[in-house]
Each structure stands twice: as C-alpha cells, then as structure tokens.
C-alpha cells in the first residue's frame, strides 16, 4: 500500500555526501573525506579510541568493589540503597530529608531499585517537597517570585508574539466563559 | 556563596548558600569559573528525575580553580586550573580500574545502578553541583584533570561532559570506515557525536531532530545531512528509504527521556510517568538500523522501564551498547582533537548567562528560544 507522504524526503535532504547510499560496500570502505572534513579518519584506527578494548584492566577480585577508602562521617541522614553492601565512602550532604516528604523518602528507600514503589514514592515526595517549600517561604513572610524563578522575562524578550498571542487567547477565553455564564443566568 | 537552587518543576532561584566544606580528606573545593546547563539538567528542571530535592544546586559541567584541598589530596595545589568530569568516582574500585568511571560503585549511596554525579538529584548521590561559586569535589586526586595551557576554560568546560559524551556515543556505535551513521538529536551531544563519527571514519552522517534551527546548526557544525521528522508522517519509513531500504549501519540515541515524535510515548513517559520517559528516539533507532547493526544509547533515561521494540532487536540481530560516558577515559583523546585543531567545542555555545540570571537561561534552553544550542553560566567574579 502506498504511504501517504507529508512531503518527500528528496525535497528535505541535501545531496548526500560522498560515501552515502547507493554505493557498494567496497566503495563505502574506500571513502576518504579527509580533504573536506577536518579530522576525518583521525580515530579510524580502533586501537586509538579510549574505549577500546572495552575493559582495559585485568580481572581483579570483586573485593575491590569496596576498596579500603577513608569513610566520610554522616552528619545528616543519608539514604542507602538496599542493594549496597555498605555505605559508600563519600556522599552528598545537601538537602537532607525533612518533613512529610522526608518520611516518604525514608519509606521509598526500603524498596530495592527494581521496585516501582520506590521510584513513584520518591516522585510523589518531590511534589510534596515543593509544597512544603512554598509554606516555608510564606512562614518567613516571603512570597516566591514565581515569575522570576521561571525565567519568564526571557519569554517576553525572545518570544513576544507568543506571549501576546497566549495572553490574547487567555483574555478571550475568560471573556467567552463570562458571556456564556451571564447568558445562562439571564435565560 | 551565590548558587542556583531548585524550587520545583520549571522553577529555580539564585540565592546565598553556605560555602561547601571539606567533608572527606580526599575532597577539594573548586572555585567555579565556567559552568554549563546540560540537556540532562532539563530532565531535573522538568521534575522527571526521582528524588530531586528542593534546595539542591544543579550543574555537572564546570571548570574552575582549586581553592582548598583535603589532607589526603597529593596531586593538586591551590590555584591549579582543573576540569571536573561530571561523574564522581573513586578511581580504585572494580569498575574504575576498568576505566568505567561512570559506573563507580563508591560514590552513590542511593543507588547501585548509577554512579555519583554532581548536582543530579539524590538518585545519583545528592551532591551539590557547579552552577554556583564553589563546589565540593570528592576524590579530587582521581577526578580533577589539569587544563592544558593551550585550552581555554570554555573548551575545557565542554570536555567535562558534552564532547566526551558525544564521542563515547560514537565510539560505542563501533563505527568502521565508510559506515552510515544516524544520530538522533541535534543538541550538543548529538552534534559532538556526529563530529566524532567523522573522526572514526564514517562515510555518511545524518542528524535527526524536530527543530530546523538546530538542524541548520548541525549542517554547519558537523558537515552532515539532516532530517526533520516533523516534516513527514512516518520518520522510520523515510530514514529506511534514505538508506536504500537496507537501514543504517549504526544509530546513536542522543535524545533520551524527553523525545518528541510520538504522542503515546510522550503522554505515558513524560506526562503520566508510566514509563521512564518517552523512548521515541530509541524506538526509531532500533527500527532504522540495518539487520546486524549497532544502536548506541548515550541519551539519559529514568530508572524504571521503557516501551521499545525489543522483538525487533532480536529479529534483526542488533547490538545495543549504552553507558554513562566515562569522561576521564575520553578526555585525553578529546583534548588531543582540540589541540590538533580538528574541533573547537565552544562553537556550540550560543548563550553566556550570568549566574544571577540562570533562571532565564533554563527557560531559554528548555523552551528552545533565541536559537539556543548550549548555554554557559558565568559566576560572579569569573573573567
């Protein structure tokens, strides 16, 4: 069945560079674009690539999973995956768990990493955390400057037509809704 | 110090925070001179990464100057110019000894599947990041890479993630001389993957995206062909046709969890969180490569599961390769390419934003305003 084409790829794509389709394997392998593309083929020798061979070190014992490194002392509550044999030697200490979201995170980390409960609970905790933060701001008599925090000044600077259009749609929608409600009351 | 802090989806605030302290004798404190906003920071910014806590400072692409070192640090001195790979790694565990620094087992207590990453939620260790004046760098002897005199801070900053990540995306695709290479995503990672594909002897490189301005940039920066999937109603059909129905030798997914192009994927993955992001680019990559081809995944996905046609992987005999980039392993080669004049990574920087105005930087990058490809953040006092 013939496909419907929104537009033809022939019209979209520039002329393919050398080495492209419709060449035989031999022609493709003979390609040399070094005169037109800066650096072409400089890593053609696979041995030169940092990832080859994939595992560079010889086999070493699994005991090196946790080499004897100095342990950072936890000064705040640190969540440890149930799949870790021990607390890692270092960790971040910013934003320790607090409030309801903190309790939710405590609960989430009781599940192993393959469990959906863990990740969905963490995502839910993230949303609760945002609400807690707004209340924390208000408790300090500070109203979050959402306009600035969302960087919306740049929207006005770089997408003025979009802002005006969105504002016009919003105003017209509100006006239309108001008219509909008034006409219903009147009827 | 002044630092960016996360307040919730699409909201960041610049505010004063206590300066970071040495918390482990292997730590160093770095004064940041350049930082970038990465495409993967947008996953945090959009609220997609679990355990992203209010108050965290993002930023895993930064360079700076050593300000203070812990008692166990031997190779660094105050005043050294260093670039810091986005991975946090010990340099001594089973994985680090194999050069898999992105898989270090000793820096992320919160999960074993991912190593530590600066400023990337508690799912990767809960460390504060570099979109600030100062940052704590654990295992600094292993992590900090001195910046050669002939490499400026802008280029060095792009060697902390974007360039070596794109390079590894191409490397994992196993490119051979004359191979046809399809790159999904015309953001910085896709651009560097496309350039790196040429270094590895590709015969043909095509970049796929939805934004014409990004594809125009890709044509110039990476001398490649481009394809806008918004202009057609069946992207894979066109891509197969472009490859004479054989399919492409390799495909590199440089998009990850917020791919566009499929309403079902976007709603279930991004809006409803029923899967770990929208895997449209990966889906198309699997379907676009030839039988026996290679799909390299360097785009970031969430920790749960995604809908991809794994049956096609089996039936076509594909090789899938994926990882977080091991930046420390790739940086020496990337620096050689810069010194040889093969590439000038800072050409991708389109916006330079003072740290104080970083909220606008996030919005511009997220909303693809003003032709944005890569925003760089300049802390106060950095020249």
């Amino acid at each position: 069945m013939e496909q419907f084409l929104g537009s033809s790829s022939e019209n979209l794509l520039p002329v393919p560079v050398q080495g492209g389709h419709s060449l035989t394997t031999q022609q493709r392998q003979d390609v040399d674009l070094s005169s037109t593309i800066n650096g072409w083929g400089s890593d053609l020798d696979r041995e030169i690539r940092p990832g080859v061979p994939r595992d560079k070190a010889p086999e070493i014992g699994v005991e090196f999973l946790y080499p004897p490194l100095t342990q950072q002392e936890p000064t705040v509550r640190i969540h440890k995956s149930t799949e870790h044999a021990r607390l890692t030697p270092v960790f971040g200490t910013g934003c320790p768990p607090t409030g309801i979201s903190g309790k939710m995170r405590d609960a989430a980390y009781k599940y192993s990493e393959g469990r959906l409960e863990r990740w969905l609970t963490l995502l839910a905790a993230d949303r609760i955390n945002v609400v807690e933060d707004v209340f924390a701001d208000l408790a300090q008599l500070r109203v979050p400057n959402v306009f600035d925090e969302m960087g919306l000044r740049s929207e006005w600077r770089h997408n003025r037509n979009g802002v005006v259009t969105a504002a016009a749609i919003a105003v017209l929608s509100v006006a239309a809704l108001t008219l509909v409600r008034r006409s219903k009351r009147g009827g | 110090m002044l630092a960016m802090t996360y307040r919730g989806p699409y909201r960041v605030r610049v505010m004063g925070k206590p300066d970071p302290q040495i918390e482990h004798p292997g730590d160093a404190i770095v004064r940041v001179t350049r930082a970038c906003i990465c495409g993967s920071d947008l996953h945090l910014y959009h609220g997609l990464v679990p355990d992203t806590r209010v108050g965290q400072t993002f930023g895993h692409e930064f360079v700076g100057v050593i300000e203070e070192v812990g008692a166990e640090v031997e190779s660094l001195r105050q005043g050294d110019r260093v670039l810091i790979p986005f991975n946090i790694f010990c340099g001594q565990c089973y994985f680090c000894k194999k050069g898999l620094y992105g898989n270090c087992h000793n820096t992320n207590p919160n999960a074993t599947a991912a190593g530590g990453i600066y400023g990337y939620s508690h799912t990767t260790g809960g460390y504060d990041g570099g979109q600030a004046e100062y940052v704590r760098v654990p295992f600094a002897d292993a992590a900090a890479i001195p910046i050669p005199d002939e490499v400026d801070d802008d280029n060095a900053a792009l060697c902390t993630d974007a360039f070596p990540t794109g390079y590894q995306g191409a490397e994992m695709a196993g490119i051979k001389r004359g191979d046809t290479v399809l790159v999904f995503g015309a953001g910085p990672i896709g651009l560097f993957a496309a350039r790196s594909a040429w270094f590895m002897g590709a015969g043909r490189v095509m970049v796929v995206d939805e934004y014409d301005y990004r594809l125009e940039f890709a044509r110039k920066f990476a001398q490649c062909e481009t394809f806008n999937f918004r202009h057609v109603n069946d992207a894979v059909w066109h891509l197969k046709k472009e490859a004479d129905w054989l399919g492409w030798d390799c495909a590199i997914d440089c998009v990850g969890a917020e791919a566009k192009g499929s309403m079902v994927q976007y709603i279930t993955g991004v809006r409803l969180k029923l899967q770990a992001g929208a895997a449209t680019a990966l889906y198309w990559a699997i379907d676009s490569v030839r039988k026996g081809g290679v799909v390299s995944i360097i785009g970031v996905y969430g920790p749960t599961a995604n809908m991809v046609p794994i049956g096609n992987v089996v039936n076509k005999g594909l090789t899938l390769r994926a990882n977080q980039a091991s930046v420390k392993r790739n940086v020496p080669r990337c620096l050689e390419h810069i010194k040889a004049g093969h590439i000038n990574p800072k050409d991708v920087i389109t916006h330079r934003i003072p740290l104080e105005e970083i909220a606008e930087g996030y919005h511009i990058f997220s909303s693809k305003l003003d032709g944005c490809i890569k925003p760089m953040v300049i802390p106060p006092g950095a020249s």
Side-chain angles (χ1 to χ4, degrees), chain A residues 13 43 70 109 118 149 155, chain B residues 51 72 110 167 333 363:
Chain A
L13 303 172
D43 290 356
T70 308
Y109 277 101
R118 168 193 171 108
E149 289 173 356
E155 189 74 26
Chain B
D51 211 356
E72 286 182 6
N110 303 72
Y167 184 92
R333 187 65 188 148
H363 184 76

Side-chain angles (χ1 to χ4, degrees), chain A residues 3-10 12-23 28-33 36-44 46 48-52 54-62 64-67 69-73 75 78-81 83-84 87-97 105 109 113 116 118-120 122-123 126-127 129-130 133-134 137 142 144-146 148-155 157-159, chain B residues 6-13 23-25 27 45-56 72 88 90 92-95 97-98 100 105-114 122-123 125-128 136 138-139 167 171 174-180 195 198-206 219 223-228 231-234 237-238 241-244 246 249 273 303-304 321 329-330 333 337 341-343 359-360 363-364 367 369-370:
Chain A
Q3 295 222 16
F4 168 76
L5 303 180
S7 58
S8 164
S9 57
E10 278 88 349
L12 298 173
L13 303 172
V15 177
V17 294
Q18 185 184 358
H21 67 325
S22 301
L23 298 180
R28 278 209 227 158
Q29 290 172 352
D30 287 345
V31 70
D32 182 354
L33 301 174
T36 53
I37 294 176
N38 192 10
W40 182 88
S42 51
D43 290 356
L44 200 46
R46 289 172 64 81
I48 225 169
R49 301 181 193 172
V52 179
R54 201 178 303 180
D55 295 339
K56 286 185 172 174
E59 275 307 314
I60 54 176
V62 75
F64 275 88
L65 201 55
Y66 298 103
L69 297 164
T70 308
Q71 179 66 50
Q72 178 182 343
E73 290 304 321
T75 52
I78 302 298
H79 289 129
K80 181 182 82 64
S81 165
E83 297 181 36
H84 259 307
L87 184 63
T88 54
V90 296
F91 40 80
T93 51
C95 310
R105 296 187 207 282
Y109 277 101
E113 294 169 40
L116 204 55
R118 168 193 171 108
W119 301 111
L120 292 180
L122 287 172
L123 276 172
D126 293 347
R127 300 297 175 265
N129 195 188
V130 173
D133 183 53
V134 172
D137 272 340
R142 182 172 56 195
N145 186 342
V146 175
D148 270 0
E149 289 173 356
M150 295 182 76
L152 294 177
R153 219 175 290 275
S154 60
E155 189 74 26
R157 198 174 298 141
H158 300 298
N159 186 27
Chain B
Y6 173 75
R7 307 321 299 185
Y10 298 88
R11 284 176 55 215
V12 301
R13 185 185 298 167
E23 299 185 55
H24 180 277
D27 287 353
Y45 180 67
H46 296 158
L48 290 176
V49 181
D51 211 356
T52 303
R53 301 183 188 176
V54 168
Q56 192 182 27
E72 286 182 6
I88 302 174
C90 70
Q92 299 186 49
C93 71
Y94 180 82
F95 300 103
K97 289 288 186 190
K98 289 172 178 281
L100 300 170
H105 210 67
N106 281 296
T107 54
N108 180 10
N110 303 72
T112 55
H122 277 67
T123 292
Y127 299 88
D128 271 335
R136 170 196 169 211
F139 296 121
Y167 184 92
E171 194 278 324
I175 296 165
K176 298 184 291 298
R177 186 178 188 129
D179 272 356
T180 53
R195 282 294 289 268
W198 290 128
F199 296 159
M200 294 168 194
R204 186 184 185 195
V205 178
M206 183 184 282
R219 273 196 290 279
Q223 293 173 271
C224 59
E225 298 167 69
T226 57
F227 181 80
N228 188 331
H231 294 180
V232 301
N233 71 340
D234 186 340
W237 187 88
H238 278 270
K241 179 167 175 271
E242 267 305 305
D244 278 357
L246 172 69
D249 294 316
K273 318 279 190 297
T304 54
R321 284 199 63 192
R329 188 182 68 184
N330 299 340
R333 187 65 188 148
H337 280 299
H342 295 157
I343 189 168
E360 293 191 30
H363 184 76
I364 289 169
S367 301
L369 297 176
D370 196 31

Side-chain angles (χ1 to χ4, degrees), chain B residues 30-34 61-65 82-83 147 153 156-157 160:
Chain B
V30 168
R31 176 170 54 80
V32 178
T33 53
R34 291 286 186 278
E61 299 184 3
F62 61 91
V63 298
V65 175
V82 289
L83 72 86
I147 302 172
D153 280 357
T160 60

